Amino acid sequence: MKQIIDQIVNLLQQGITAIFKFVELVWQWSFGQMFEIFQSNWQALPVWKIAILAVVVIAIIYVLYKGFFQLWAAAEQIFKAFVELLMVLVSILPYVLIAGLIAAGGSYIIQHVNF
């Protein structure tokens, strides 16, 4: 049973690693393309190419703007989830303390009380 669980965990780790490598590849390629377009020689281009370049730059800024706010919303949700997790962990402390006291009392009775 332990071997099956280890294989499942290993498979999940490989899947997550593959996803992150793909995301990294997409980010590197995309930012490489963006840097390349911003390094264009604007003065040497004809007017119609400058107009296309301006439209492309505006589109890039708009898409990155939308992506930034989506990332910001996700970060907020992650922070809220983390705060909720901490609140739950703190709220169950009395139960854990009571369980520890019960265990300590039971252990004391088992080891020290004789009838």
Side-chain angles (χ1 to χ4, degrees), residues 36-102:
E36 187 176 317
I37 200 141
F38 286 117
Q39 291 177 350
S40 298
N41 187 2
W42 293 53
Q43 289 89 15
L45 295 175
V47 175
W48 67 274
K49 284 188 179 180
I50 292 175
I52 290 174
L53 187 59
V55 169
V56 168
V57 168
I58 290 169
I60 290 170
I61 291 169
Y62 174 75
V63 169
L64 290 177
Y65 173 82
K66 297 282 281 183
F68 172 77
F69 281 104
Q70 190 172 2
L71 184 63
W72 184 264
E76 281 182 359
Q77 290 175 347
I78 290 169
F79 181 70
K80 286 179 186 177
F82 182 71
V83 168
E84 288 181 23
L85 173 66
L86 290 177
M87 290 172 51
V88 168
L89 290 175
V90 169
S91 71
I92 65 169
L93 279 177
Y95 300 109
V96 173
L97 181 62
I98 291 169
L101 289 173
I102 292 170

Side-chain angles (χ1 to χ4, degrees), residues 20-34:
F20 277 108
K21 283 185 180 183
F22 178 73
V23 169
E24 179 185 11
L25 177 70
V26 170
W27 275 71
Q28 287 178 350
W29 180 83
S30 295
F31 278 101
Q33 295 302 310
M34 285 183 258

Side-chain angles (χ1 to χ4, degrees), residues 4-14:
I4 293 172
I5 293 173
D6 288 342
Q7 287 178 344
I8 291 172
V9 169
N10 189 20
L11 181 65
L12 289 173
Q13 287 175 338
Q14 289 175 352

